[in-house]
Amino acid sequence: MLNRAHVRDGKAYPPRSIAELEILPGVEQALAALRKAGFLLVVVTNQPDVARGTTTRDAVEKINAALSAKLPLDEFRTCFHDSSDECDCRKPKSGALLSAAVDHDIDLYDSFMVGDRWRDTEAGHRAGCRTFLIDYGYNEKQPESVDFRVSSLLEASKIILELARR
């Protein structure tokens, strides 16, 4: 949801290199507005292709570093495991969110999880966050429940900022 996914047969895949990395329109504006309003911006990402051997940890970390250099992000929490590893950090489990909350003194009940996959919103719900699904129409499992369904991070940020004013 920060960068353009490569969609094949209706399924989303991450960029494999910095050369394939394209930040989506409105992302910089959305993050800048959230940062200005005092939000901590933590990215929680599953990168199972590392465990599957189709990309390297180094390639993922270079992409994360490139995003961090261009966007006002506070931290990346990256899970390099696959589902079969049964780790706590892989969404839809909420371990990465819970550990970020401990490390940064975050009140998850007063926080938002924004993502473009069902695993994102499920992890957010499990952690007690309000959730946003950026619906790109992927041909995959859809979330059972989501607080807000939007078309972009910019749209989500406007709703978050409005909710924060209340």
Side-chain angles (χ1 to χ4, degrees):
M1 55 147 226
L2 299 176
N3 53 273
R4 188 169 310 284
H6 298 268
V7 180
R8 294 187 298 277
D9 299 322
K11 296 195 180 210
Y13 297 91
R16 293 184 200 143
S17 67
I18 292 175
E20 292 184 359
L21 180 64
E22 178 188 349
I23 296 172
L24 290 168
V27 166
E28 291 178 65
Q29 179 184 351
L31 295 177
L34 292 167
R35 167 59 62 74
K36 184 177 179 184
F39 284 92
L40 186 69
L41 303 175
V42 177
V43 176
V44 177
T45 178
N46 288 348
Q47 296 298 324
D49 290 343
V50 174
R52 295 171 188 160
T54 58
T55 194
T56 65
R57 185 178 184 127
D58 183 61
V60 171
E61 289 174 347
K62 284 179 179 172
I63 290 169
N64 290 353
L67 288 168
S68 289
K70 294 178 181 178
L71 301 171
L73 299 169
D74 293 295
E75 183 183 12
F76 274 85
R77 297 273 169 145
T78 306
C79 174
F80 296 103
H81 306 107
D82 204 346
S83 296
S84 61
D85 293 324
E86 299 281 332
C87 66
D88 288 333
C89 61
R90 182 167 166 76
K91 299 175 291 182
K93 292 183 180 176
S94 57
L97 294 168
L98 298 174
S99 66
V102 169
D103 292 349
H104 298 287
D105 196 28
I106 298 169
D107 179 356
L108 290 171
Y109 295 101
D110 211 20
S111 298
F112 303 91
M113 177 65 168
V114 182
D116 62 351
R117 315 288 286 274
W118 73 270
R119 291 176 181 277
D120 302 321
T121 58
E122 179 65 24
H125 273 295
R126 289 180 182 186
C129 303
R130 285 175 279 180
T131 60
F132 285 78
L133 175 71
I134 302 176
D135 191 350
Y136 294 124
Y138 299 143
N139 183 21
E140 61 185 22
K141 179 179 176 178
Q142 293 298 300
E144 290 181 22
S145 126
V146 62
D147 295 308
F148 299 91
R149 189 176 293 262
V150 295
S151 62
S152 68
L153 181 59
L154 186 58
E155 184 182 354
S157 72
K158 290 176 181 178
I159 295 169
I160 291 167
L161 293 170
E162 182 60 35
L163 291 170
R165 286 187 198 103
R166 293 181 187 170

